[in-house]
Amino acid sequence: MMVEELGRRKVRNGDLYVIQFYNRLDESKKGEIACSTAGEARNWMEAFDHAKQQAEYELLRGGSTRNKLNVEADIDLEGHRPRVRRYAHGLKKLIRIGQGPEMLLRQTSNLDGNGTSDGYFKGEFGDAIEAHEWKCVRTVNGIRIFEDVADSKSGKGALVKAVALVDASADTVFEVILNLDRHRRYEWDMLTGDLELIVSYDGHYDVIYGTYDPKYLTRWQSKRDFVFSRQWFRGQDGAYTILQFPAEHKKQPPRSGYRRTTINPSTWEIRSLNAPMGSNTTKCLVTQMLEIHTAGWCRWKKNSCSKFEKTIPYALLSQVAGLKEYIGANPSLNFDSSTMVVQSKLSDGSTSSGEFEDVELQDEFYDAITGDSSSSSEDEESKDDADKKEKKIKLKNVSWAISSLALKQASAPDANKELDPSVPPVHVDASQFNGTLHKGKDEADSNCWTSPSGRGFMIRGKTYLKDNAKVMGADPLLKLIAVDWFKVDKATDKIALHPRCLVQSDAGKTLPFILVINLEVPAKPNYSLVLYYAAERPVNKNSLLGKFVDGMDMFRDARFKLIPSIVEGYWMVKRAVGTKACLLGKAVTCKYFRQDNFLEIDVDIGSSSVARSVIGLVLGYVTSLVVDLAILIEAKEEAELPEYILGTVRLNRVRLESAVPLDV
């Protein structure tokens, strides 16, 4: 069973958040659930994932290897009917949202209703090192305003952001920002209060028309109107991103009596923060980022009486302050976090091997924590436990702390552990392999690939399970030997079997092991970016890599991780892609094909509406982008730590028209 968020959908006069679940072997078998809030949708997603995980574990327990679950064959449940019925009945203990489905039906259009949110996610920092250098240049109404001084000399305009700590969950803030209700927006938004929906696409994208009276901004009295698009998605770490672009739409031509103006491109990023020990408060960090003309911005930094305060960019930056005050004055907006229960571990038969259990440790956002001795007497037992755990000061997910740790150490792969030490290594000569995308000669080369080190990526260190510390990556274990850039009519799997594939060449057949990553890019036409990584020795079957290569698809989906980083390119694309690690098997459909000396992973980016929208944005700017990708297997147990980089690739300003047709 696959579960996917379809985003928002207009039903009658309200917005619902829709989840689709379907059989990955037969997509005609599918259904949908409608939720009143984004938080409820997320909680249902998590509940389905935990329920699926538990059912898979129970069906696998005691079965032979040949009967284990995989995506190639249907599951025979005949011998397990009583157990399946027992766990289906037990779902009422696994999930408790609001007061059940009837409440969802009655309150579908009520954003102030009793939704749910656990409100605890990972910290704000990504897993790739970015080139931004943010400097706080002004504090206005309690809101910090930053400038990216690293990019200030480019002459392309200033990249600025407003940042605030808001006493609400990320789900609440997200819905307030997306809500078009005029009376609500009038309470916090001085610029885009009068908005109306023009059209909505696929639940994660819409086009908005708005008007505003400029008398509060300028001496000109002519009314203004504007059109902009919004694109939003939620990352696996629970953070929301909203992209806003100026747009045009045939349904909304310039209006008589109004002057059409352009709203600056901007982004919203909303991340929930972990509460301090003993606190039940919910907080999130809200960041709005936009690009503005350099001249007016520089004058405003030097003179607080500058005319910049009468401009659209200033009105946009002021939205963060208005949002913070509006939510603070309306505590009923924040959803009750106590109505949702999701079982976080498997049943008492769970194993410690980590093969079936996928309970993610949450990165914490604390500067420092000390033990709290003010607990009440009725909590003595929990206090004693907490004292033992919290006597040390823990620096968790603080950027400077992570950076200083990273400079001291890097996580290099242990080749003798992951590859078979009993077999002598072979020399992997990349010059024997030629893909359709050529290898770059230097950094100035374009439409090419190179293989950077892993030092631009942050991965789990040896002590991650104790303190969440991440360290800088080192050189990858596998060597990137070639890249193919194919143009295809439809998404194509098992490319390694194609006669033109280097895996089928004489030189390819002599390599001990090849990892083939086939990134299936949805577009018109479709594309396949195929990465070939070679090992100098066979894989050690007892290693983490060995378990992944020869393991089950369920295990592979829970461990196959990719870290993206836009090294050069338009800042809006950077914000859309982000730098946070993604478990690809949880985000999109991945198919695994193991044969002879290779493992092929076919990543269907088009299987997720969110991934489709993000890749569509990337393709629009691809000729100006330098993209780094790191591939690794997520470590979940102490014996598997520290993590290591499996392979990397840098794609330099790839041209779509250079893709070579592949005859299937």
Side-chain angles (χ1 to χ4, degrees), residues 368-385:
I369 305 174
T370 56
D372 188 349
S373 59
S374 60
S375 302
S376 62
S377 58
E378 61 188 20
D379 290 323
E380 281 299 318
E381 184 175 346
S382 61
K383 180 181 81 68
D384 292 340
D385 293 339

Side-chain angles (χ1 to χ4, degrees), residues 74 97 136 210 247 301 362 504 551 643:
D74 283 310
I97 297 182
C136 184
K301 284 193 299 179
Q362 299 298 305
Q504 300 301 321
E643 285 183 337

Side-chain angles (χ1 to χ4, degrees), residues 357-496:
E357 186 170 348
D358 187 24
V359 179
E360 176 69 20
L361 269 177
Q362 299 298 305
D363 290 344
E364 297 191 22
F365 191 77
Y366 302 139
D367 287 348
I369 305 174
T370 56
D372 188 349
S373 59
S374 60
S375 302
S376 62
S377 58
E378 61 188 20
D379 290 323
E380 281 299 318
E381 184 175 346
S382 61
K383 180 181 81 68
D384 292 340
D385 293 339
D387 286 344
K388 292 176 183 177
K389 294 177 181 178
E390 299 299 332
K391 283 183 179 178
K392 291 184 178 180
I393 293 178
K394 299 179 180 179
L395 297 174
K396 295 188 176 184
N397 233 351
V398 183
S399 58
W400 59 265
I402 291 177
S403 300
S404 62
L405 281 171
L407 292 174
K408 294 178 183 177
Q409 56 182 333
S411 178
D414 184 351
N416 288 328
K417 178 181 177 182
E418 300 300 321
L419 303 178
D420 191 344
S422 65
V423 178
V426 301
H427 175 62
V428 179
D429 184 3
S431 64
Q432 296 181 353
F433 307 96
N434 296 306
T436 57
L437 192 67
H438 78 276
K439 185 176 182 179
K441 299 175 183 177
D442 52 46
E443 294 300 321
D445 203 356
S446 64
N447 197 42
C448 63
W449 63 270
T450 56
S451 183
S453 75
R455 292 188 171 272
F457 302 95
M458 303 300 295
I459 58 179
R460 297 180 175 186
K462 182 65 179 175
T463 60
Y464 179 82
L465 296 182
K466 299 176 182 177
D467 57 16
N468 285 17
K470 293 187 177 182
V471 298
M472 186 181 292
D475 291 334
L477 175 69
L478 305 181
K479 184 174 184 178
L480 181 61
I481 56 175
V483 176
D484 275 327
W485 180 227
F486 291 131
K487 178 167 55 179
V488 293
D489 293 330
K490 61 180 181 179
T492 304
D493 300 334
K494 299 182 179 179
I495 279 186

Side-chain angles (χ1 to χ4, degrees), residues 94-106:
L94 190 67
I95 307 167
R96 187 171 80 243
I97 297 182
Q99 298 181 28
E102 292 182 1
M103 284 294 290
L104 294 180
L105 292 174
R106 287 202 301 269

Side-chain angles (χ1 to χ4, degrees), residues 230 239 262 356 421 462 487 520 538 629:
R230 304 186 302 180
T262 300
F356 308 112
K462 182 65 179 175
K487 178 167 55 179
E520 300 171 357
L629 302 175

Side-chain angles (χ1 to χ4, degrees), residues 526-587:
N526 291 312
Y527 299 94
S528 273
L529 180 71
V530 190
L531 313 174
Y532 302 93
Y533 295 95
E536 60 183 10
R537 287 180 290 181
V539 175
N540 182 355
K541 295 186 180 299
N542 296 321
S543 66
L544 177 60
L545 178 58
K547 293 178 183 177
F548 180 83
V549 170
D550 294 314
M552 297 182 304
D553 293 344
M554 182 175 64
F555 178 79
R556 292 162 169 165
D557 280 345
R559 299 300 190 99
F560 181 39
K561 188 157 73 175
L562 179 141
I563 306 175
S565 175
I566 306 293
V567 180
E568 293 181 22
Y570 185 37
W571 71 272
M572 290 280 281
V573 180
K574 289 185 178 182
R575 305 325 298 177
V577 173
T579 57
K580 199 68 180 173
C582 174
L583 287 171
L584 285 182
K586 300 289 186 180

